[in-house]
Amino acid sequence: MAGADWTPDLSLEVHVAFQLRIVTDPPADLIRLGAVHEGELVGYVDLHGHEPRRRELGYVIGDSHRWGRGYGGAAARAGLAYGFGVLGLTEIWAEALTGNTASVRILQGLGMTEIDHGAPGPYRRFTISVGS
Ligand SMILES: CC(C)(COP(=O)(O)OP(=O)(O)OC[C@H]1O[C@@H](n2cnc3c(N)ncnc32)[C@H](O)[C@@H]1OP(=O)(O)O)[C@@H](O)C(=O)NCCC(=O)NCCS
């Protein structure tokens, strides 16, 4: 999952063990929610960070045959709703690799504002505050 910045060149077993550990023993600064469509787990949404009112949004839909059906956008919207509505956050930010067109479109579709627009580097960063 290059788009999600997973470390390349690791075996499937290592990835599975790592992801399993996140679910069974999550780090204190990570909330991971399953994205479920018609009873089937199709991905996840993360709200990550240790600041009390501000977290980073991340999302993965998999495997790739599920892409392009609107699940990513729906999962990201649900993550925002959970962050603002349930966690009481005041700001949620996210970043996407510049070449990750689907992810950039999702963030734009959420109504997020791009920060450092045009700044050099591989990532585009976005933010949204409560009530906007
Ligand atoms: C990025 C990712 C979540 C997108 O999920 P998805 O279910 O395919 O997304 P959606 O179907 O909701 O599409 C989102 C938008 O991207 C567009 N899109 C989808 N695939 C696209 C593609 N290959 N090229 C260009 N645009 C694309 C859709 O048209 C949609 O735009 P719209 O809302 O303006 O119509 C998914 O590809 C993924 O999990 N990738 C690996 C992990 C990752 O990159 N996570 C994001 C880290 S920030």
Side-chain angles (χ1 to χ4, degrees):
M1 283 282 179
D5 253 356
W6 287 14
T7 310
D9 305 326
L10 296 180
S11 69
L12 178 63
E13 289 73 24
V14 171
H15 277 296
V16 168
F18 179 78
Q19 297 298 329
L20 200 58
R21 208 163 52 244
I22 285 183
V23 173
T24 56
D25 185 19
D29 62 351
L30 177 66
I31 292 173
R32 174 161 293 183
L33 306 167
V36 176
H37 176 73
E38 294 182 346
E40 191 181 358
L41 185 69
V42 298
Y44 65 73
V45 186
D46 282 347
L47 287 159
H48 184 238
H50 50 78
E51 294 171 79
R53 296 277 174 239
R54 179 177 181 270
R55 282 191 175 235
E56 178 184 2
L57 177 74
Y59 37 81
V60 168
I61 299 299
D63 56 25
S64 57
H65 79 265
R66 294 194 172 96
W67 292 356
R69 300 181 189 181
Y71 299 159
R77 273 194 304 281
L80 271 200
Y82 188 86
F84 288 134
V86 178
L87 300 180
L89 301 178
T90 56
E91 183 187 352
I92 295 176
W93 68 280
E95 62 187 11
L97 284 166
T98 301
N100 192 343
T101 310
S103 188
V104 169
R105 289 186 72 91
I106 286 173
L107 297 175
Q108 291 169 331
L110 293 174
M112 285 189 151
T113 302
E114 186 160 6
I115 43 181
D116 303 332
H117 188 64
Y123 291 98
R124 293 174 67 174
R125 303 180 108 217
F126 295 81
T127 186
I128 188 167
S129 296
V130 70
S132 52

